[in-house]
Amino acid sequence: MVIKIDEYSDVPIYMQIRNQIVMGISSGELKAGEQLPTVRALALEIGINTMTVSKTYQMLKSEGYIMTDRKNGARVRQQIEKTGIISDENKNELRRIVSEARISGVSKKDLQKLVDEYYAGNV
Amino acid sequence: MVIKIDEYSDVPIYMQIRNQIVMGISSGELKAGEQLPTVRALALEIGINTMTVSKTYQMLKSEGYIMTDRKNGARVRQQIEKTGIISDENKNELRRIVSEARISGVSKKDLQKLVDEYYAGNV
Amino acid sequence: MVIKIDEYSDVPIYMQIRNQIVMGISSGELKAGEQLPTVRALALEIGINTMTVSKTYQMLKSEGYIMTDRKNGARVRQQIEKTGIISDENKNELRRIVSEARISGVSKKDLQKLVDEYYAGNV
Amino acid sequence: MVIKIDEYSDVPIYMQIRNQIVMGISSGELKAGEQLPTVRALALEIGINTMTVSKTYQMLKSEGYIMTDRKNGARVRQQIEKTGIISDENKNELRRIVSEARISGVSKKDLQKLVDEYYAGNV
DNA sequence: GTGGTCTAGACCACG
DNA sequence: GTGGTCTAGACCACG
């Protein structure tokens, strides 16, 4: 899986990586149990500091998306907890995005289509 | 329209206000041409620095949501440009949210329902 | 509140600080809403790097014990969520400690007395 | 006695094994003088490196929980020293756990009940 | 070889 | 002035 950093983005690098990995898991590009690159390898590949990647992995770990062990590096968790809940923060963000789209004249249908695509993972 | 600041949120205050005004416009709570409170009044009401509100208004203006004139203060724009486009940033955020929801076991139907509600503005 | 670091401990520094702040909140030494020292001030006082203190504050924040904002620094949260639950990790640790104490010939009464004291916060 | 490794835990494997053996001794599941599996056998059973088990046994030996001889392998010690003392580290950990539980709204009674259960060994 | 921790130092946005 | 992010570099325990 290829991680791409947008250096002009306001989203911190460690968060950009985190988001792409989460989207990779959701789309199936990253399978359960699959090995992630080592901290050093990913840092080298992206051209950033190992601490930054480390921060990403610790975040993903505390969120329950991945597990790390010193022998094998990081792997996608086999069983990610299915709470069935959308966080208040994400609801708020979703509402903001939908609102902005609506004002810009985007139809509800187009929005729904986008959600469909992202949910299916064919992006 | 009542603005509520979440002091626990990581979203900067000026952005929280901006988002609530945008959502107000989308839902129809704020009509086209409607007067917004003065920077000073809003700052006083929320209990924050006038600079922060000023930053919000400048942002809303540059985004084309509101217009300001010396006589009447800030008003919601009559004609907000309908580009029919969702920004790449918002698409990315939407995809992230959908991905996280999907992994958490939220059904596509529930997601679509949420989008419906936010689009309709009955929140 | 005075933070003391044991440099010979296996517990990471950021965790030692975190633990002492949590115990301070529990004992009432740190009141709800009370200001914590700034990242820089605490780092200087303890003689460690600001990053390490920053890590502590971010952890306490994500755990819901404190809140941070750029204007006022860090403060103990007013409302800490009362789940009424002891984490599996803590249960395991507790069981380990009780087991070791029991083997060493510590009476159950003495253990209970210790729990009493720690619960009351008179330490 | 069955040893179970939690691969998601931050506790090192050699420590997880050590803790389970100590808890086994405390609960009576492992009797004084009882034979422990050989390093090789246990490593094979758990599916880990022999070095890791070896580290566990060395630790248990230096702590006075087991003794090893060339002929019989490792055995639970007949006379484990009853100092009647809880180490400062364990006291600190206990205090941390009690503090976290208290903040979470766990009653002292529930905590004491847990200590009772762990002390009795009916877990 | 792996992730985890820590330092010294820097720059940034928010307010 | 505040917390947040990032770098370059180092050392450590685990396995």
Side-chain angles (χ1 to χ4, degrees):
Chain A
M1 185 193 182
V2 181
I3 307 282
K4 284 203 162 184
I5 300 304
D6 176 3
E7 53 180 334
Y8 300 110
S9 169
D10 287 334
V11 182
I13 297 175
Y14 79 91
M15 199 57 133
Q16 290 189 41
I17 307 175
R18 178 258 178 212
N19 290 344
Q20 288 178 49
I21 291 177
V22 169
M23 293 188 287
I25 294 173
S26 175
S27 74
E29 194 179 350
L30 290 171
K31 313 263 182 250
E34 185 169 336
Q35 199 83 28
L36 295 177
T38 67
V39 168
R40 282 168 184 76
L42 190 49
L44 194 71
E45 185 191 322
I46 304 178
I48 58 168
N49 196 281
T50 54
M51 272 281 291
T52 307
V53 179
S54 184
K55 203 169 175 177
T56 300
Y57 279 17
Q58 277 170 53
M59 189 180 198
L60 288 165
K61 183 178 163 188
S62 78
E63 291 181 308
Y65 287 120
I66 69 169
M67 50 172 295
T68 61
D69 70 83
R70 277 171 257 260
K71 202 174 66 190
N72 300 308
R75 294 207 316 272
V76 178
R77 265 185 101 142
Q78 293 288 356
Q79 308 278 7
I80 299 174
E81 204 190 352
K82 298 201 181 290
T83 58
I85 289 175
I86 303 175
S87 72
D88 285 347
E89 276 172 12
N90 276 351
K91 278 187 184 166
N92 239 312
E93 266 293 274
L94 181 59
R95 192 180 158 204
R96 177 190 65 73
I97 293 166
V98 170
S99 298
E100 292 183 16
R102 188 184 186 283
I103 297 178
S104 293
V106 176
S107 71
K108 191 164 74 179
K109 208 173 157 183
D110 281 356
L111 261 173
Q112 300 283 25
K113 223 174 76 182
L114 217 51
V115 171
D116 263 23
E117 280 174 33
Y118 294 152
Y119 200 92
N122 319 322
V123 186
Chain B
M1 184 190 183
V2 181
I3 306 284
K4 283 203 163 186
I5 300 303
D6 176 5
E7 59 174 344
Y8 298 114
S9 171
D10 284 331
V11 181
I13 295 174
Y14 82 91
M15 198 58 129
Q16 289 190 41
I17 307 174
R18 178 260 177 208
N19 291 344
Q20 287 178 51
I21 290 177
V22 170
M23 293 188 286
I25 295 173
S26 174
S27 73
E29 195 179 350
L30 289 171
K31 314 269 182 243
E34 185 169 336
Q35 187 90 29
L36 293 177
T38 64
V39 167
R40 195 169 301 214
L42 189 49
L44 196 71
E45 184 191 324
I46 305 178
I48 57 171
N49 205 303
T50 53
M51 280 233 336
T52 308
V53 178
S54 180
K55 205 168 178 176
T56 300
Y57 279 15
Q58 274 165 36
M59 189 181 198
L60 287 165
K61 189 180 170 186
S62 79
E63 290 180 310
Y65 287 120
I66 66 171
M67 42 179 295
T68 58
D69 70 80
R70 279 172 215 80
K71 206 174 69 191
N72 298 308
R75 293 174 175 283
V76 179
R77 255 186 127 163
Q78 292 288 357
Q79 307 279 6
I80 298 173
E81 203 189 353
K82 302 207 179 281
T83 58
I85 288 175
I86 303 175
S87 71
D88 285 348
E89 273 179 10
N90 276 352
K91 277 188 184 165
N92 236 313
E93 265 293 275
L94 181 60
R95 192 181 160 203
R96 179 189 64 72
I97 293 166
V98 171
S99 297
E100 291 183 16
R102 188 184 186 283
I103 296 178
S104 294
V106 176
S107 70
K108 190 165 74 179
K109 207 175 157 183
D110 281 355
L111 260 173
Q112 301 283 25
K113 224 174 75 183
L114 217 51
V115 171
D116 264 23
E117 281 173 32
Y118 294 151
Y119 200 91
N122 319 321
V123 186
Chain C
M1 185 192 182
V2 181
I3 306 281
K4 284 203 163 185
I5 300 303
D6 175 3
E7 54 181 332
Y8 300 110
S9 169
D10 287 334
V11 182
I13 296 175
Y14 79 91
M15 200 57 133
Q16 291 188 40
I17 307 175
R18 178 258 179 212
N19 290 344
Q20 288 178 49
I21 290 177
V22 170
M23 294 188 286
I25 294 173
S26 175
S27 74
E29 194 179 351
L30 290 172
K31 313 263 182 250
E34 185 169 337
Q35 199 82 28
L36 294 176
T38 67
V39 167
R40 283 167 184 77
L42 190 49
L44 195 71
E45 185 191 321
I46 304 178
I48 58 169
N49 197 281
T50 54
M51 273 280 292
T52 306
V53 178
S54 184
K55 203 169 176 177
T56 301
Y57 278 17
Q58 277 171 53
M59 189 180 199
L60 287 166
K61 184 178 163 187
S62 78
E63 291 181 308
Y65 288 120
I66 68 170
M67 51 172 294
T68 62
D69 70 83
R70 278 172 257 256
K71 202 175 66 189
N72 300 308
R75 293 208 316 271
V76 178
R77 264 185 102 143
Q78 293 287 356
Q79 307 279 7
I80 299 174
E81 204 189 351
K82 299 202 180 289
T83 58
I85 288 174
I86 303 175
S87 72
D88 286 348
E89 276 172 12
N90 276 352
K91 277 187 184 167
N92 240 312
E93 266 293 273
L94 181 59
R95 191 180 160 204
R96 178 190 65 72
I97 293 166
V98 171
S99 297
E100 292 184 17
R102 188 184 186 282
I103 296 178
S104 292
V106 177
S107 70
K108 190 164 75 179
K109 207 172 157 184
D110 280 356
L111 261 173
Q112 300 283 25
K113 222 173 77 182
L114 217 50
V115 171
D116 262 24
E117 279 173 33
Y118 293 152
Y119 200 91
N122 319 321
V123 185
Chain D
M1 184 191 183
V2 182
I3 307 283
K4 283 203 162 186
I5 301 303
D6 176 4
E7 58 176 343
Y8 298 114
S9 170
D10 284 331
V11 181
I13 295 175
Y14 82 92
M15 198 58 129
Q16 290 190 41
I17 307 175
R18 179 260 176 209
N19 290 345
Q20 288 178 50
I21 290 177
V22 170
M23 293 187 286
I25 294 173
S26 174
S27 74
E29 195 179 349
L30 289 172
K31 314 269 183 244
E34 185 169 336
Q35 187 89 29
L36 294 176
T38 64
V39 166
R40 195 169 301 214
L42 189 49
L44 197 71
E45 185 191 322
I46 306 179
I48 57 171
N49 204 304
T50 52
M51 280 233 336
T52 308
V53 178
S54 180
K55 204 167 179 177
T56 301
Y57 279 16
Q58 274 165 37
M59 189 180 198
L60 287 166
K61 189 180 170 187
S62 79
E63 290 181 309
Y65 288 119
I66 67 170
M67 41 179 296
T68 58
D69 70 80
R70 280 172 213 80
K71 207 173 69 191
N72 299 308
R75 292 175 176 283
V76 178
R77 255 187 127 163
Q78 291 289 356
Q79 307 278 7
I80 298 175
E81 203 189 354
K82 300 206 180 280
T83 58
I85 289 175
I86 303 175
S87 72
D88 285 348
E89 273 180 10
N90 276 353
K91 277 187 184 166
N92 236 313
E93 266 293 275
L94 181 59
R95 192 180 160 204
R96 178 190 65 74
I97 293 166
V98 170
S99 297
E100 291 184 16
R102 188 184 187 284
I103 296 178
S104 293
V106 176
S107 70
K108 192 165 73 179
K109 207 174 157 184
D110 281 354
L111 261 174
Q112 300 283 25
K113 223 174 77 183
L114 218 51
V115 170
D116 264 23
E117 280 174 32
Y118 293 151
Y119 200 91
N122 319 321
V123 185

